[in-house]
């Protein structure tokens, strides 16, 4: 299987860079949630003129390459170059293999950015080469990998990309001593959370949060109205949730797990085609995911306030000595009103 390390000087021309950037722009038009990646495609002739463009519009629709080819007359793609953000697939799902479609169209060259990590869908590059097509991988690979982000993590690990969010005071408290926590952060931070909820496939909390706060777990706008996109509520824990709980009014059907097997929970969600999990549970759930090494990204909303007391944002995460601390890398730092949002990701384990 071809990897991004196979990139070579044969794909370094400015024209190909421009075409790949355009393909990434096209890819961004597709849905950013669900099991399928966002993919864009540009087909150019020998002179570098664009013949057709395409992108994937979601599960069950033509893939980007087929979408682009469909806009050309029979035979018009013969001798052309296809630039695509992800290695063409080589399997039959709801649609046929893109590799076969490109071969049948008579393209002579395929340039892609990121290698497909799917065990079933990969292998398109090898299939194309076997048919005599010049294939080059790794063009703008770093940009392509960053663009595909959570989808790549989900595809490689066979589980959803997990984001853990909490809001806390500067001294790390997520609530006052009596458990009250509304509101530590300001309106701008809370609005940002709702935007991120809407961009996630699922929102996950523990039964403790449901019983204590009775959250709706919906994504809402500034006026309190429901946003168009809503995450699927996921609740983990053994305690019973009353039928009167607000989450049962959620537009999406809630999912319940006992929480004893967190990798199993994530595997189940992945099997349902859910690729992102947004954790908003309390310290018990948050600490369990951190301790299990299942968090891919941290969203920490810090408010300029001091609370003190026992209600920490995290509990025991298995750090028994300072040399076992869990180091993070700061990905971004943003001001939201009076609050600060820190986006951090785990550092790769040292060898």
């Amino acid at each position: 299987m071809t990897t991004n390390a196979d990139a070579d000087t044969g794909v370094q021309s400015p024209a190909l860079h421009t075409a790949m950037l355009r393909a990434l722009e096209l890819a961004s038009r597709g849905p950013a949630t669900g099991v399928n990646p966002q993919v864009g495609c540009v087909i150019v002739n020998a002179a570098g003129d664009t013949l057709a463009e395409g992108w994937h519009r979601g599960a069950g629709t033509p893939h980007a390459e087929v979408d682009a080819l469909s806009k050309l007359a029979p035979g018009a793609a013969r001798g052309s170059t296809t630039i695509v953000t992800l290695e063409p697939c080589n399997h039959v799902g709801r649609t046929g293999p893109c590799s076969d479609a490109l071969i049948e169209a008579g393209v002579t060259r395929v340039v892609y950015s990121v290698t497909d990590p799917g065990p079933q869908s990969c292998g398109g590059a090898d299939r194309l080469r076997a048919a005599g097509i010049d294939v080059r991988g790794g063009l703008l690979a770093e940009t392509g990998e960053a663009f595909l982000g959570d989808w790549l993590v989900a595809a490689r690990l066979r589980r959803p990309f997990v984001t853990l969010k909490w809001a806390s005071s500067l001294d790390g408290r997520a609530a006052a001593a009596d458990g009250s926590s509304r509101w530590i952060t300001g309106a701008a931070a809370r609005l940002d959370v709702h935007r991120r909820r809407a961009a996630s496939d699922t929102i996950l909390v523990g039964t403790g949060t449901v019983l204590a706060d009775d959250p709706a777990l919906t994504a809402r706008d500034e006026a309190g109205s429901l946003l168009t996109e809503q995450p699927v509520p996921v609740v983990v824990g053994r305690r019973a949730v009353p039928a009167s709980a607000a989450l049962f009014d959620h537009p999406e059907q809630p999912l319940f797990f006992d929480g004893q097997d967190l990798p199993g929970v994530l595997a189940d969600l992945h099997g349902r085609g859910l690729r992102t999990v947004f954790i908003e549970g309390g310290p018990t759930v948050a600490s369990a995911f951190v301790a299990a090494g299942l968090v891919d990204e941290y969203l920490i909303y810090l408010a300029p306030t001091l609370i003190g007391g026992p209600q920490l944002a995290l509990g025991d995460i298995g750090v028994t000595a300072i040399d076992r601390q869990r180091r993070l890398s700061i990905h971004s730092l943003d001001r939201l009103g009076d609050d600060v949002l820190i986006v951090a990701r785990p550092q790769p384990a040292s060898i």
Side-chain angles (χ1 to χ4, degrees):
M1 181 178 70
T2 305
T3 67
N4 289 334
D6 295 323
D8 56 51
T9 55
V11 295
Q12 299 306 311
S13 77
L16 286 176
H17 277 230
T18 299
M20 185 61 77
L21 290 173
R22 174 58 178 167
L24 286 164
E25 180 184 344
L26 294 167
S28 68
R29 300 180 183 182
T33 57
V35 70
N36 295 103
Q38 294 172 291
V39 182
C41 175
V42 176
I43 299 176
V44 301
N45 62 18
D49 300 320
T50 298
L51 298 177
E53 298 178 338
W55 68 92
H56 184 47
R57 291 166 173 79
T61 66
H63 289 188
E65 301 94 316
V66 174
D67 182 46
L69 289 170
S70 71
K71 298 169 184 175
L72 296 175
R78 192 163 302 280
S80 65
T81 294
T82 295
I83 300 95
V84 62
T85 55
L86 183 66
E87 176 188 7
C89 71
N90 192 45
H91 81 300
V92 177
R94 296 190 189 182
T95 60
C98 292
S99 53
D100 285 354
L102 293 169
I103 292 168
E104 293 170 7
V107 303
T108 57
R109 193 183 198 196
V110 172
V111 178
Y112 66 88
S113 178
V114 179
T115 299
D116 190 334
Q120 293 179 320
S121 55
C122 69
D126 291 338
R127 172 78 177 93
L128 292 165
R129 287 195 182 97
I133 295 174
D134 179 21
V135 181
R136 310 296 174 95
L139 176 60
L140 298 182
E142 185 174 343
T143 303
E145 293 234 358
F147 173 79
L148 285 169
D150 54 25
W151 179 84
L152 276 178
V153 171
R156 289 168 177 164
L157 299 181
R158 310 300 295 167
R159 65 158 176 80
F161 182 95
V162 176
T163 295
L164 171 60
K165 166 263 173 182
W166 72 73
S168 70
S169 59
L170 291 180
D171 57 345
R173 269 61 181 183
D178 65 355
S180 59
S181 60
R182 297 183 180 178
W183 297 104
I184 293 176
T185 55
R190 297 197 298 272
L191 192 62
D192 187 73
V193 170
H194 281 278
R195 178 181 64 81
R196 293 175 185 273
R197 285 183 181 184
S200 183
D201 287 327
T202 68
I203 178 170
L204 186 148
V205 298
T207 51
T209 295
V210 174
L211 296 174
D213 299 335
D214 194 24
L217 302 182
T218 51
R220 303 181 297 277
D221 63 19
E222 195 168 7
S225 300
L226 293 180
L227 297 175
T228 302
E229 301 297 330
Q230 293 291 327
V232 174
V234 178
V235 179
V236 295
R238 292 183 171 183
R239 286 186 281 179
V241 174
S244 60
L247 66 87
F248 287 112
D249 293 324
H250 197 286
E252 298 289 339
Q253 183 71 31
L255 300 174
F256 294 89
F257 301 89
D258 66 17
Q260 299 306 298
D261 177 12
L262 295 182
V265 171
L266 295 180
D268 184 288
L269 296 176
H270 185 269
R272 297 171 187 262
L274 302 167
R275 85 171 190 232
T276 53
V277 171
F278 192 72
I279 300 176
E280 283 204 64
T284 300
V285 166
S287 301
F289 273 90
V290 174
L294 295 172
V295 179
D296 302 300
E297 181 177 72
Y298 293 81
L299 301 181
I300 303 167
Y301 294 84
L302 285 179
T305 187
L306 302 174
I307 298 176
Q311 301 286 358
L312 295 170
L314 282 182
D316 181 13
I317 57 171
V319 176
T320 55
I322 197 64
D323 60 355
R324 298 188 65 185
Q325 62 187 295
R326 295 174 180 267
R327 290 281 186 182
L328 307 178
S329 296
I330 302 298
H331 181 68
S332 64
L333 197 65
D334 295 295
R335 184 80 175 262
L336 297 172
D338 290 332
D339 306 315
V340 173
L341 169 61
I342 299 173
V343 179
R345 294 172 182 168
Q347 291 185 359
S350 58
I351 300 175

